[in-house]
């Protein structure tokens, strides 16, 4: 078997192993102790969780359908229509992320066997990290007798991904899932129920993941009704909202595009999420009005850079018209590349590089030599956002390069000789950040809204659409062949919003950090009913454990954020 075909299945962790470091667990903040006033026999309510996960729920289509149960739940929910599910939208990847609190870039699971497939670059003796489900951690907690139940039509979840759950239930279909969940909700002893509906995913594959597809809408409506039944049963419990405090999380595990899912496109990896409790005030959580980006910096082994995942086969200029545009914010030294399709300053291609506070471009081919276009541009390395644009254009029987800074053209340079000798073509992939040239230092920049058009935009088209917030409204949108917002806030990919086109892979010791100000294409959030927060399915474990008052050990390496803690004032009795 070839090395890159080896599959390693993770063993179930032994409880004793998990207990080794429990005494040193990092504990999250708990509410202040509750003291009973004289004559008061009320005790703090028990915390419980109902997690409902819907496969194949596309948030844009759900918003269009406005299904009654979810709409009613808004009144007591923190909810999001642009939540992130997982970097890869396969069922295995989505569920592994949801139940472990680990992102796909770390766990690497995308096969329904839940086996890790070694990458061809992995060393055969590398230790493969194991990431168990949250139910394994519950068993090793101070509350190992907590009654947990997981109800699903997919046997792989209970048999392979989460075999530690106390009450695994394999149902034949979504109706059986609902009926089994009702039985357990009506039981006296239950602490944490996970419910999985998957008929919507099947409907999407058959009819299309669209509200306009009758089969898809009917499946979504039926599931919405099932959720209504579960909520009614929950509220009928004698201790509901008295001796019991329930957190209900409803989330989509993945979306869909056309008739399929399993890829990494926004429609496949964007979901919705509702966090419901009777005491919560309605707030829509959205990634709007924020910019979280990667700071590209460093050189050699410390370089943080992004390389297009295509082996250099896309986005050559050749001898055609092309427009390349991006927004940058940061500082730079002398002559490093910061956006290029040229490895080092050798071979062929083009490279945008720095020259003090200004920026320049090098155009090169093996037969025509190099043309460096570097008359002084405005200062763009002042730690403010600037938009820079390069246009390759055929005009008056000659070939030219036009450069723009913040929508204003500042030079025009003839490069006709390159066109007559094969054009500007390079086997190097597009690269953001350090271009592997050891002779030069590196820039330190954030990048946003990288776009490439297969046409030469005019001066007016560049100026008039400089801060366009919706790229689909661009007058030359039909000519857009690459668009990377670079604002995912997670993972190791900068997704290409042009369907079927490659993403950038982020390399090096990178991290996603919020940038205090935003590119001009992004408007600040002014709606009082919304709050800036990019909700992710990787957050579920952290928030479930926070709600259940269970500690999270830092050694688990979970990636989620227990953001629900910031709303304590709404649901904790002081």
């Amino acid at each position: 078997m070839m090395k890159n075909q080896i599959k390693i299945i993770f063993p179930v962790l032994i409880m004793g192993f998990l207990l080794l470091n429990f005494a040193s667990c990092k504990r999250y903040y708990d509410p202040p102790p509750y003291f009973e006033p004289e004559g008061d026999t009320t005790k703090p309510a028990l915390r419980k969780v109902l997690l409902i996960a819907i496969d194949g729920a596309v948030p844009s289509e759900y918003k269009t359908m406005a299904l009654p149960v979810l709409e009613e739940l808004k009144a007591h929910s923190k909810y999001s229509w642009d939540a992130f599910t997982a970097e890869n939208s396969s069922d295995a990847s989505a569920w592994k992320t949801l139940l472990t609190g680990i992102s796909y870039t770390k766990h690497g699971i995308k096969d329904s066997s839940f086996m890790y497939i070694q990458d061809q670059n992995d060393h055969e003796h590398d230790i493969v990290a194991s990431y168990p489900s949250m139910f394994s951690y519950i068993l090793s907690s101070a509350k190992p007798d907590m009654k947990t139940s997981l109800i699903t039509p997919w046997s792989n979840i209970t048999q392979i991904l989460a075999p530690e759950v106390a009450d695994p239930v394999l149902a034949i279909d979504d109706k059986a899932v609902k009926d089994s969940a009702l039985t357990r909700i009506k039981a006296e002893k239950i602490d944490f129920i996970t419910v999985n509906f998957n008929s919507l995913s099947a409907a999407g594959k058959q009819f299309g993941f669209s509200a306009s597809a009758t089969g898809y809408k009917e499946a979504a409506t039926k599931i919405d009704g099932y959720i209504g039944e579960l909520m009614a049963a929950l509220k009928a419990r004698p201790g509901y909202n008295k001796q019991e405090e329930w957190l209900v999380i409803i989330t989509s595990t993945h979306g869909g595009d056309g008739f399929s899912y399993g890829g990494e496109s926004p429609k496949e990896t964007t979901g919705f999420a509702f966090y419901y409790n009777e005491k919560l005030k309605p707030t829509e959580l959205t990634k709007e009005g924020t910019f979280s980006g990667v700071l590209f910096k460093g050189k050699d082994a410390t370089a943080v850079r992004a390389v297009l995942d295509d082996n250099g086969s896309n986005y050559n200029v050749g001898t055609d018209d092309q427009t390349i545009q991006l927004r940058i914010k940061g500082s730079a030294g002398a002559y490093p590349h910061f956006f290029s399709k040229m490895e080092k300053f050798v071979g062929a291609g083009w490279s945008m590089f720095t020259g003090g506070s200004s920026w320049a471009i090098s155009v090169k081919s093996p037969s025509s030599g190099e043309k460096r276009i570097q008359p002084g541009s405005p200062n763009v390395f002042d730690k403010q956002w600037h938009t820079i644009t390069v246009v390759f254009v055929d005009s008056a029987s000659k070939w030219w390069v036009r450069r723009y800074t913040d929508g204003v053209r500042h030079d025009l340079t003839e490069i006709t000789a390159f066109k007559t000798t094969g054009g500007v073509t390079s086997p190097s992939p597009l690269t953001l950040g350090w271009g592997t040239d050891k002779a030069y230092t590196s820039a330190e920049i954030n990048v946003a809204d990288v776009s490439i058009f297969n046409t030469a935009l005019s001066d007016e088209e560049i100026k008039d659409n400089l801060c366009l917030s919706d790229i689909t409204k661009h007058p030359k949108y039909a000519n857009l062949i690459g668009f990377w917002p670079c604002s995912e806030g997670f993972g190791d990919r900068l997704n290409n919003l042009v369907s079927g086109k490659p993403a950038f892979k982020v390399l090096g010791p990178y991290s996603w950090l919020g940038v205090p100000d935003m590119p001009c294409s992004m408007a600040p959030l002014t709606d009082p009913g919304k709050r800036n927060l990019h909700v992710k399915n990787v957050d579920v474990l952290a928030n479930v454990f926070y709600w259940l008052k269970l500690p999270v050990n830092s050694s688990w390496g979970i990636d989620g954020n227990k953001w629900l803690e910031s709303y304590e004032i709404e649901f904790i009795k002081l």
Side-chain angles (χ1 to χ4, degrees), residues 48-52 147 149 151 167 177-195 197 226-240 244 246-248:
K48 299 175 182 290
V49 173
L50 169 61
L51 170 61
I52 301 173
K147 184 61 182 287
S149 181
I151 310 165
D167 176 35
V177 167
K178 180 262 299 182
D179 291 339
S180 296
L182 284 175
T183 298
R184 281 148 183 81
I185 289 173
K186 292 174 183 178
E188 181 179 351
K189 174 62 176 171
I190 190 68
D191 297 299
F192 178 16
I193 313 173
T194 301
V195 176
F197 295 120
Y226 291 161
I227 295 172
E229 291 185 56
L230 298 183
M231 292 302 300
L234 198 67
K235 294 181 179 182
R237 286 176 64 91
Y240 180 81
E244 300 174 349
W246 281 87
L247 173 67
V248 180

Side-chain angles (χ1 to χ4, degrees), residues 280-552:
L280 285 174
K281 298 176 182 178
T283 308
E284 181 176 349
L285 307 175
T286 176
K287 65 179 182 179
E288 295 174 19
T290 62
F291 181 80
S292 180
V294 169
L295 182 66
F296 296 103
K297 61 180 181 178
K299 59 180 294 186
D300 300 322
T302 66
V304 175
R305 52 204 290 265
V307 177
L308 201 68
D309 196 8
D310 71 337
N311 298 315
S313 58
N314 286 279
Y315 302 113
N316 277 305
V317 177
T319 59
D320 299 323
D321 289 358
Q322 191 173 104
T323 300
I324 305 162
Q325 181 170 284
L326 71 159
R327 307 189 206 284
I328 62 172
K329 175 181 183 290
S331 59
Y335 302 110
H337 305 259
F338 61 89
F339 188 33
S340 59
K341 197 176 192 306
M342 174 198 296
E343 187 176 6
K344 306 179 182 179
F345 279 116
V346 298
W350 56 264
S351 171
M352 296 183 193
F353 63 96
T354 72
S357 62
S358 64
W359 68 279
I361 184 169
S362 169
V363 179
K364 193 171 185 179
S365 74
S367 57
S368 296
E370 179 186 19
K371 183 73 173 180
R372 290 197 177 189
I373 306 167
Q374 57 187 92
S377 71
N379 181 4
V380 295
F381 296 105
D382 56 359
K383 300 184 179 181
Q384 303 295 319
W385 283 105
H386 295 280
T387 303
I388 58 177
T389 310
V390 172
V391 177
F392 292 87
V393 58
D394 192 317
S395 178
S397 301
K398 294 182 179 181
W399 207 29
W400 310 83
V401 171
R402 302 197 305 249
R403 287 197 307 153
Y404 303 75
T405 299
D406 295 328
V408 178
R409 188 209 290 193
H410 47 77
D411 52 58
L412 174 68
T413 304
E414 184 184 348
I415 57 167
T416 305
F418 289 87
K419 188 162 189 174
T420 59
T421 56
V424 180
T425 301
S426 171
S428 300
L430 276 178
T431 301
L432 288 163
W434 185 61
T436 74
D437 201 320
K438 295 181 180 295
Y440 301 104
T441 59
S442 66
E444 291 194 3
I445 57 171
N446 285 112
V447 175
D449 298 334
V450 179
S451 56
I452 299 179
F453 297 83
N454 63 3
T455 189
L457 298 184
S458 67
D459 291 1
E460 292 75 18
E461 288 170 335
I462 292 170
K463 181 180 178 181
D464 293 346
N465 298 280
L466 185 66
C467 295
L468 192 66
S469 60
D470 182 355
I471 192 65
T472 66
K473 306 300 182 185
H474 197 285
K476 292 295 177 63
Y477 178 68
N479 296 97
L480 188 70
I481 57 175
F483 182 66
W484 303 264
C486 304
S487 59
E488 282 75 5
F490 49 81
D492 67 346
R493 297 278 169 165
L494 306 179
N495 290 319
N496 194 335
L497 299 195
V498 175
S499 180
K501 294 296 184 178
F504 281 97
K505 183 174 178 60
V506 186
L507 306 173
Y510 66 91
S511 61
W512 290 92
L513 298 172
V515 178
D517 54 345
M518 296 178 296
C520 66
S521 57
M522 299 179 65
L525 192 60
T526 58
D527 188 335
K530 294 183 178 182
R531 181 188 169 190
N532 303 124
L533 179 67
H534 195 186
V535 177
K536 310 176 187 69
N537 276 5
V538 77
D539 298 333
V540 168
L541 184 151
N543 285 297
V544 166
F545 273 47
Y546 161 72
W547 188 264
L548 295 175
K549 301 182 183 179
L550 294 173
V552 172

Side-chain angles (χ1 to χ4, degrees), residues 193-215:
I193 313 173
T194 301
V195 176
N196 168 217
F197 295 120
N198 70 5
S199 60
L200 187 63
S201 181
K205 288 191 289 185
Q206 182 177 358
F207 304 107
F209 289 87
S210 171
S212 62
T214 302

